[in-house]
Amino acid sequence: MNAWGPYMLNHVQDLGFRAGEFTVEPLSDTEAGRVLDVLAARLGAETDAASLVPDGREADLRGELAEAAPGLSALAAAIRDRLETSHSGVLIRRAHLGHRDLDTRRRLLYALAVCMGAPTATDRIDRKVVWDIKVRPEMVRTGSASTFSEHADEADFHTDTQYFPNPERYMLLYFAQAAACGGGRSSLRDARCVREALERSEEGRWALDLLSRRALPFRIPATFTSTGSRDAVEMTFATVFGERPSIRFRTDTLRRGLAACPEHDTPEVRRALAILQAELDDPARRLETFMESDSLLAINNHEALHGRGAFADPERHALRIRIDDGAPQDGARQEGAPRDSAR
């Protein structure tokens, strides 16, 4: 069968740390055409795929896609099943989309995401679903690049949208063009493995306990605040470890949150975060790999941290879609802070 189907997510090998490598068969032109027809009927044939926004009718669209494109729907179910059971990261070395134009690739990835759940808006201003991870030179020059997706520097281990009360369950990363310099290598850490490692020592157990009980401030990057302005100060208070999500973490949003809320920046919090960071920095307990052009990485964002090495090629380009599964999550609160409290 020349389509994505229930048995077309083929397991190649386990890569360690609950990450696995898989292959898929190409999506047939017939099924791809039906997907595009469904999207055109729903969204309009002239709609720019880079500007797609959530419309609240994703469940209906999911049903239409399941009928028109059963192979695509089955692939989405297979990826989701893997991310809920055996793996926190699914690596597909070749998605067989590279021969299609970029707009079509965006549409097909969006359709795959809809079949997995409800794709969400990346930012609060433009509310784009398909986000371009690409160096933005002007923002880098002016120092206004506030998130990893806007610059070429190293991205430390983090979970996505840890700075919002309800981080999305899943994330798709499609590599439209890999860095020709060989940089930008992707890395993964599984939250279960991190917990197990911390539980092996007394200080690790202490840090795990504190970071499971103490709600800390994660500062929302300026790009993703309600106004999008550089001086906006908005925070989400949540624990690093929990049930759902199992982990939320990002060094810079925590550091900026603690700077804006110094009453939370205590010696024991610093010590606990340092213990966690030392564990995350252990090169022996991480997966690192180079994602080629036309590769796809699906992540359970509640169960895995991901990172990226620095790169020099300004043409490196990835597409990201975050997907909500609709299930309840641990409590977290979001609030602003007085402007003069930001440092």
Side-chain angles (χ1 to χ4, degrees), residues 205-277:
R205 290 190 294 273
W206 173 84
L208 179 59
D209 176 69
L210 186 142
L211 296 176
S212 299
R213 293 184 292 102
R214 187 79 56 87
L216 299 177
F218 293 81
R219 182 165 175 173
I220 301 173
T223 299
F224 305 132
T225 60
S226 56
T227 63
S229 62
R230 292 182 62 181
D231 59 350
V233 180
E234 297 175 6
M235 239 83 60
T236 291
F237 288 82
T239 59
V240 171
F241 291 101
E243 293 298 324
R244 191 178 180 94
S246 178
I247 189 168
R248 69 166 79 211
F249 183 77
R250 179 169 154 174
T251 303
D252 60 340
T253 59
L254 264 173
R255 183 179 65 249
R256 292 167 185 161
L258 291 170
C261 303
E263 67 275 16
H264 294 272
D265 190 11
T266 65
E268 62 179 3
V269 165
R270 290 191 180 193
R271 179 183 170 218
L273 290 174
I275 292 170
L276 172 58
Q277 190 65 58

Side-chain angles (χ1 to χ4, degrees), residues 61-123:
L61 179 56
R62 189 176 310 121
E64 294 174 27
L65 288 170
E67 182 176 349
L72 182 72
S73 180
L75 175 65
I79 292 175
R80 183 167 171 162
D81 180 67
R82 287 285 185 172
L83 293 178
E84 290 297 333
T85 55
S86 56
H87 297 82
S88 57
V90 169
L91 286 74
I92 298 171
R93 296 294 184 184
R94 188 181 179 196
H96 300 284
L97 299 177
H99 64 290
R100 303 183 187 276
D101 63 79
L102 190 58
D103 186 79
T104 298
R105 281 183 275 177
R106 285 192 175 101
R107 292 176 187 275
L108 294 175
L109 289 166
Y110 171 73
L112 177 64
V114 168
C115 290
M116 290 180 64
T120 62
T122 295
D123 66 305

Side-chain angles (χ1 to χ4, degrees), residues 134-151:
K134 192 174 177 65
V135 175
R136 291 161 171 79
E138 183 58 32
M139 298 183 75
V140 172
R141 280 195 297 270
T142 61
S144 60
S146 64
T147 186
F148 296 139
S149 62
E150 298 168 334
H151 61 68

